[in-house]
Amino acid sequence: MSEAKKYCTDSGIEIRRIYTPASTPLTQLPQEDAGQFPFTRGIQKDMYRGKPWTMRQYAGFSTAEESNKRYKYLLANGTTGLSVAFDLPTQIGYDSDHALAEGEVGKSGVAIDSLRDIEILFDGIKLEDITTSMTINSTASILLAMYIALAKKQGADIKKISGTIQNDLLKEYAARGTYIYPPKASMRIITDIFEYCEKEVPKWNTISVSGYHIREAGATAVQELAFTLANGKEYLKAALERKLDINIFAKRMSFFFNAHNNLFEEVAKFRAGRRMWAQITKDLGATDERAMMLRFHTQTGGSTLTAQQPMNNIVRVTIQALSAVLGGTQSLHTNGYDEALSLPTEEAARIALRTQQIIAHESGVPDTVDPLGGSYFAEAFTDEVEAKAWEYIKRIDAMGGSVAAIEQGFMQNEIARSSYEYQDNIEKGTKIIVGVNKFTVEERPQGDLFSIDDSIRKVQAEKIRNLKENRDNLKVTAALLGLKQAAAGTQNLMPRILEAVENHATLGEIADVMRKVFGEHR
């Protein structure tokens, strides 16, 4: 008799034929209500019964003018929070007219070179009335300073503005690559932001620890969870070394996770993550339960989208969005079906948003808290994901924490191995991707794709030229010198960056000052 086939997730968790009370005995089931430590069932008592998750559609392309039109379109169609995508030059600290920016300006997001671009980006949008998430890391301090400067110009009370900067450099070294400075300098800038915002912009989420990009690089669900929480733990320790109060600081930390196609594994990941983060923060000295809550944004999996039969992606995105809602996300971005081919068209962006709205208003899923809680399968799966993630964290702790684990190449090697195994299984046909390695059809080339013209660089370069001709360059020089002196010393950098921004120094000029002091990571 042949050996029975084993069913396993990509994380290597075996799925049993059937789950019974013995799989998770009654004594091991979560006994707490939602909103109670360790928050397995959710961080709010009523979850979506009180208020739906924030529908925060990620958008940004071309110039600030074009992105502003898309934001107004999304807001008019029911988006409840903005999420800004920046182009690669902006992410790595180069102005649009820099030689290394050629071919990339406005392609993967909006090009931002100065405060004037931010003013255009949010033209007609009151920052006091909206929450904004900015997916920015190496230049997070500069973009946050621009946002604060604009809020002040709008007459807003900056102590009331709210939103999030990603500001997570550890995952850049491990998985994504949009770093500028060496790790030690990056950690200094990050903790300067923590310290500044605690006093000046207390409602701002100063870091969004990102598992999303770790998963996009090829990690499994368990690796995504473990590496993200290990990085979060490293940031907590850095804040504690700066003598920040964990009961205040940890409330301003948020997380950013991916959602892939194995619905139950994703739900288990989110439930386990809340429980684990509650324990991590408590072990590091948190006593306020609100500081122990894992608050997270979810984006559906970009790497799961296929260029083949792209309409199938609508189904994939729906499954992934359901997993995020069943898992208790605080905000959600749903990808456009055509994003494996191009930036999303308006039609694709609208369908992606409607997917969330149908789940919220027609599915009944949000009507009760933690709908899968108590399921033999969901509870056993949550326990298994948690156990495997703790194994990784213990290995990382033994190496000396996330920075040491990254420096030793541990996370990078684990992600690369998982990525190879995943692709190998697709090539062998043991993992089926509908429309790619099974159920294929002959397809015509896709029409009406959304593309960005290379002429955008000329538009941005002209803006920079006009800016430099009309600003007070003596004030710019003085502000940049002040920043250089602060970077060479121990002053908090944020007030100096804000001064440079308000005097119309460009993003590239500010980043270059810090490059000269800190050097670049190779």
Side-chain angles (χ1 to χ4, degrees):
M1 183 176 175
S2 63
E3 188 177 332
K5 178 183 175 182
K6 285 188 176 182
Y7 291 80
C8 292
T9 71
D10 294 328
S11 296
I13 296 173
E14 185 176 349
I15 305 301
R16 298 167 227 170
R17 183 188 66 83
I18 193 167
Y19 288 76
T20 69
S23 306
T24 303
L26 191 60
T27 54
Q28 293 178 23
L29 288 175
Q31 299 300 313
E32 81 278 3
D33 193 355
Q36 293 180 349
F37 181 90
F39 312 107
T40 311
R41 307 204 68 183
I43 62 168
Q44 288 116 11
K45 184 176 177 61
D46 289 330
M47 286 304 289
Y48 310 130
R49 288 167 68 94
K51 180 185 176 185
W53 61 91
T54 301
M55 297 178 193
R56 191 184 299 284
Q57 289 301 96
Y58 185 50
F61 57 89
S62 185
T63 61
E65 290 88 346
E66 290 301 313
S67 291
N68 176 261
K69 291 176 188 175
R70 178 62 65 90
Y71 295 158
K72 287 177 176 174
Y73 173 83
L74 289 169
L75 289 167
N77 276 275
T79 283
T80 52
L82 295 178
S83 182
V84 184
F86 298 96
D87 71 358
L88 279 173
T90 303
Q91 291 180 48
I92 55 177
Y94 292 120
D95 288 333
S96 297
D97 60 357
H98 194 285
L100 292 177
E102 187 170 358
E104 292 293 345
V105 176
K107 293 290 179 71
S108 62
V110 63
I112 299 294
D113 294 310
S114 71
L115 175 58
R116 288 187 180 170
D117 283 327
I118 286 287
E119 291 169 354
I120 295 165
L121 187 68
F122 292 102
D123 181 53
I125 300 170
K126 289 186 68 176
L127 301 191
E128 269 194 352
D129 295 342
I130 197 78
T131 62
T132 303
S133 173
M134 295 191 281
T135 303
I136 197 73
N137 296 283
S138 295
T139 53
S141 58
I142 305 170
L143 269 300
L144 176 59
M146 289 180 181
Y147 196 87
I148 292 169
L150 175 58
K152 288 166 68 177
K153 288 189 80 169
Q154 287 186 353
D157 180 350
I158 66 168
K159 292 191 183 296
K160 292 180 180 178
I161 62 169
S162 59
T164 304
I165 44 171
Q166 194 161 100
N167 197 26
D168 173 10
L169 266 296
L170 291 178
K171 67 94 176 43
E172 296 295 329
Y173 301 116
R176 189 161 176 257
T178 63
Y179 45 72
I180 302 174
Y181 317 109
K184 188 175 180 182
S186 291
M187 289 298 284
R188 177 198 166 174
I189 297 168
I190 289 165
T191 49
D192 278 357
I193 294 170
F194 294 166
E195 185 178 62
Y196 176 84
C197 288
E198 185 174 301
K199 296 172 185 172
E200 304 296 334
V201 199
K203 289 191 173 182
W204 195 268
N205 296 319
T206 50
I207 192 164
S208 175
V209 190
S210 176
Y212 184 85
H213 303 100
I214 290 171
R215 191 69 174 280
E216 289 292 282
T220 65
V222 165
Q223 289 170 339
E224 176 195 1
L225 179 62
F227 297 164
T228 305
L229 296 187
N231 288 348
K233 187 176 179 181
E234 194 88 349
Y235 292 126
L236 278 180
K237 288 181 176 179
L240 290 169
E241 286 175 11
R242 190 66 74 93
K243 308 299 182 188
L244 299 181
D245 184 345
I246 192 171
N247 285 316
I248 296 173
F249 166 71
K251 292 175 190 173
R252 300 268 58 92
M253 284 183 77
S254 64
F255 289 79
F256 174 25
F257 288 113
N258 211 313
H260 275 216
N261 291 327
N262 189 322
L263 185 143
F264 289 99
E265 185 173 42
E266 295 304 301
V267 173
K269 178 186 75 181
F270 299 133
R271 297 175 88 246
R274 277 193 294 272
R275 203 152 67 192
M276 294 173 72
W277 185 244
Q279 192 61 54
I280 287 168
T281 49
K282 186 175 183 180
D283 289 347
L284 287 174
T287 54
D288 185 336
E289 285 202 350
R290 289 173 299 169
M292 304 176 194
M293 293 177 178
L294 181 85
R295 296 173 300 116
F296 64 94
H297 170 74
T298 308
Q299 180 173 340
T300 56
S303 62
T304 68
L305 303 178
T306 63
Q308 302 91 331
Q309 301 178 35
M311 298 301 284
N312 293 346
N313 294 327
I314 296 174
V315 182
R316 293 185 177 102
V317 168
T318 303
I319 293 169
Q320 294 163 11
L322 266 174
S323 77
V325 174
L326 289 165
T329 194
Q330 275 59 69
S331 63
L332 178 61
H333 165 85
T334 32
N335 288 331
Y337 67 82
D338 54 2
E339 288 188 53
L341 298 161
S342 68
L343 289 169
T345 58
E346 278 198 359
E347 179 196 49
R350 184 174 64 251
I351 291 171
L353 178 58
R354 294 289 182 257
T355 301
Q356 293 200 50
Q357 291 165 336
I358 290 168
I359 292 171
H361 301 293
E362 297 185 29
S363 73
V365 170
D367 293 349
T368 189
V369 175
D370 189 28
L372 295 182
S375 153
Y376 303 139
F377 181 33
E379 297 296 353
F381 214 162
T382 300
D383 293 344
E384 290 190 75
V385 168
E386 180 181 6
K388 283 186 172 290
W390 279 126
E391 287 175 14
Y392 266 118
I393 290 176
K394 286 174 184 174
R395 290 172 71 184
I396 291 167
D397 284 346
M399 293 176 194
S402 282
V403 171
I406 290 165
E407 288 174 342
Q408 294 172 42
F410 172 71
M411 290 188 190
Q412 299 93 311
N413 290 338
E414 287 295 301
I415 294 168
R417 177 183 56 79
S418 296
S419 179
Y420 173 80
E421 289 175 357
Y422 181 85
Q423 188 59 36
D424 189 47
N425 286 332
I426 293 173
E427 300 290 339
K428 290 175 179 174
T430 54
K431 183 171 188 65
I432 293 171
I433 307 295
V434 173
V436 175
N437 62 357
K438 199 163 186 178
F439 312 114
T440 58
V441 294
E442 282 193 31
E443 297 180 79
R444 295 177 181 175
Q446 294 289 319
D448 299 323
L449 297 178
F450 187 16
S451 62
I452 301 299
D453 196 285
D454 283 330
S455 64
I456 295 302
R457 183 167 184 250
K458 293 179 182 177
V459 173
Q460 288 299 115
E462 181 63 19
K463 283 186 190 175
I464 293 168
R465 188 184 65 78
N466 286 334
L467 176 78
K468 289 180 177 179
E469 284 180 357
N470 293 292
R471 69 189 183 180
D472 187 331
N473 282 297
L474 288 176
K475 286 185 177 180
V476 173
T477 301
L480 292 176
L481 178 60
L483 173 60
K484 183 179 179 181
Q485 291 168 342
T490 58
Q491 280 184 50
N492 190 303
L493 298 176
M494 278 302 297
R496 294 296 189 179
I497 293 170
L498 181 59
E499 181 187 4
V501 160
E502 290 181 320
N503 282 295
H504 299 287
T506 68
L507 175 135
E509 288 172 329
I510 295 168
D512 280 346
V513 167
M514 292 190 280
R515 275 189 180 92
K516 288 172 185 172
V517 177
F518 298 137
E520 293 186 73
H521 181 66
R522 301 292 184 188

